[in-house]
Amino acid sequence: MNNEYKYLVALNPSIRNSKEEDIFKLSKRSILQEKIKKIEIEKNFNNPKIPQKILEQILQNAYSRIGISNLNDFKKYLTNNNVDFNDVKNKLEIEALWNELILIKFSSKIKINEKELRDRIKNNNKFLKSYLLSEISFEISNLKELDNKFQEISKVISHKGFDFAALKYSVSPTSNFGGKLNWINENSLNKSIKAAINNLKINDFTKPINVPGGFLILQINDIKNTKIEIDIEKEFKKLENFERNNQLNQYSKIYFNKVKKDLEISEL
């Protein structure tokens, strides 16, 4: 628990001033999620391992989210925060193996509307708006609970920050990073998400957006406009990958809940 506590704080510096007991609750949740995924990975893979080049890219994504530019500085940062680099690497590898498992099980179910994606690209041929977003993906058992759940999450965001709320409520793989996503251009967003964030300012967050498998709250961390000459095929590949990953994330949540339901969990 102590190691998980330090790990979560290191990757989400904005929660450092939260109550210790609250962070321990988040740590417990994080450990349970990781254990469940590890059990399922070991059921499906013999000697599971992620190729070194892919692991290096995953590490780069992790430290760039907290504003660190290279691996050596990341290692120093972890040492200064009493976090073992190999533990972090192992945790990221488990998440990557889980994603690989989801890809194997559900890739045949992915549906991409190529015409719709190409039309999105063609409609933006001068300036491209991009968003730096954070997400909270959550589920409810009954639609009547939605307003109360949103009020509960909003209150936590207001008092403790979006990062803390993502760690507490989000079922997305990004939760351990405070829900942080990389820059996403507006071509990659479907109509409902684009409409939800279109008039928001930096640091604003959306009302719950209905998505497959649950609901999504997005916060805008930054916005930029870039003058572009569009390479349609290159942009299409980016958009196609984003859409595929988005659908796989929905299957990941559904499959995780199924696996969790089938396990007997004894908590101290």
Side-chain angles (χ1 to χ4, degrees):
M1 285 285 284
N2 282 325
N3 288 340
E4 193 73 12
Y5 182 108
K6 290 183 284 189
Y7 164 75
L8 290 180
V9 171
L11 293 185
N12 300 275
S14 64
I15 72 167
R16 196 179 300 274
N17 295 324
S18 300
K19 289 182 182 178
E20 192 173 272
E21 62 183 288
D22 288 339
I23 303 178
F24 269 116
K25 287 178 183 177
L26 300 178
S27 302
K28 180 180 177 181
R29 177 177 182 264
S30 178
I31 289 170
L32 281 173
Q33 288 177 333
E34 184 179 292
K35 292 288 185 184
I36 291 167
K37 290 179 179 180
K38 190 173 181 181
I39 289 168
E40 193 65 15
I41 288 165
E42 290 172 350
K43 281 183 185 177
N44 286 273
F45 294 125
N46 291 321
N47 191 28
K49 203 72 180 172
I50 292 294
Q52 183 62 28
K53 281 190 176 180
I54 294 176
L55 190 54
E56 288 172 2
Q57 183 60 53
I58 292 168
L59 281 164
Q60 184 179 357
N61 290 341
Y63 60 70
S64 64
R65 280 187 173 114
I66 53 175
I68 296 174
S69 59
N70 61 71
L71 184 60
N72 285 334
D73 285 348
F74 184 49
K75 288 179 178 179
K76 290 176 186 175
Y77 171 78
L78 294 176
T79 299
N80 291 338
N81 285 275
N82 298 311
V83 178
D84 185 85
F85 171 72
N86 287 324
D87 286 347
V88 173
K89 191 166 67 170
N90 290 337
K91 286 176 173 295
L92 294 177
E93 188 167 24
I94 288 169
E95 194 61 43
L97 286 165
W98 172 262
N99 291 338
E100 180 68 19
L101 176 61
I102 297 302
L103 181 63
I104 291 168
K105 286 186 174 291
F106 297 105
S107 60
S108 63
K109 297 181 181 293
I110 300 301
K111 296 178 181 178
I112 304 293
N113 187 329
E114 183 174 333
K115 182 180 183 303
E116 181 189 343
L117 299 189
R118 290 186 183 279
D119 286 345
R120 282 195 221 169
I121 296 166
K122 290 173 184 175
N123 289 337
N124 277 285
N125 56 8
K126 292 182 180 179
F127 287 90
L128 185 65
K129 182 182 280 188
S130 298
Y131 299 93
L132 189 60
L133 301 172
S134 294
E135 65 173 355
I136 296 173
S137 176
F138 67 97
E139 301 162 340
I140 51 173
S141 57
N142 190 314
L143 275 176
K144 293 179 181 178
E145 301 172 11
L146 182 59
D147 285 343
N148 288 338
K149 191 70 174 179
F150 179 56
Q151 292 302 319
E152 179 185 339
I153 295 173
S154 298
K155 192 176 291 186
V156 172
I157 293 172
S158 298
H159 289 94
K160 299 184 178 181
F162 199 93
D163 290 9
F164 186 94
L167 281 164
K168 183 172 183 177
Y169 294 105
S170 184
V171 295
S172 168
T174 62
S175 62
N176 278 356
F177 298 95
K180 291 183 179 67
L181 300 167
N182 292 321
W183 281 98
I184 300 171
N185 71 56
E186 62 181 347
N187 288 338
S188 300
L189 304 173
N190 64 37
K191 290 179 181 178
S192 60
I193 291 178
K194 193 184 292 189
I197 67 173
N198 189 46
N199 295 317
L200 296 185
K201 298 176 182 178
I202 293 172
N203 294 325
D204 287 347
F205 58 90
T206 67
K207 293 180 179 179
I209 304 165
N210 196 346
V211 295
F215 291 88
L216 191 65
I217 298 172
L218 294 171
Q219 181 185 56
I220 298 180
N221 301 316
D222 202 358
I223 302 172
K224 64 181 179 183
N225 287 287
T226 309
K227 191 172 182 179
I228 54 167
E229 294 292 335
I230 288 183
D231 181 330
I232 291 178
E233 288 307 312
K234 185 178 178 181
E235 289 300 316
F236 172 74
K237 285 296 179 186
K238 286 183 185 177
L239 188 50
E240 183 183 37
N241 287 336
F242 179 84
E243 184 62 30
R244 180 178 288 107
N245 289 337
N246 189 45
Q247 291 184 39
L248 286 171
N249 281 338
Q250 304 307 321
Y251 284 117
S252 175
K253 288 184 283 186
I254 294 166
Y255 188 67
F256 178 85
N257 287 336
K258 178 184 179 300
V259 172
K260 183 179 179 181
K261 188 176 180 180
D262 292 341
L263 286 174
E264 182 179 336
I265 301 171
S266 299
E267 300 181 33
L268 293 177

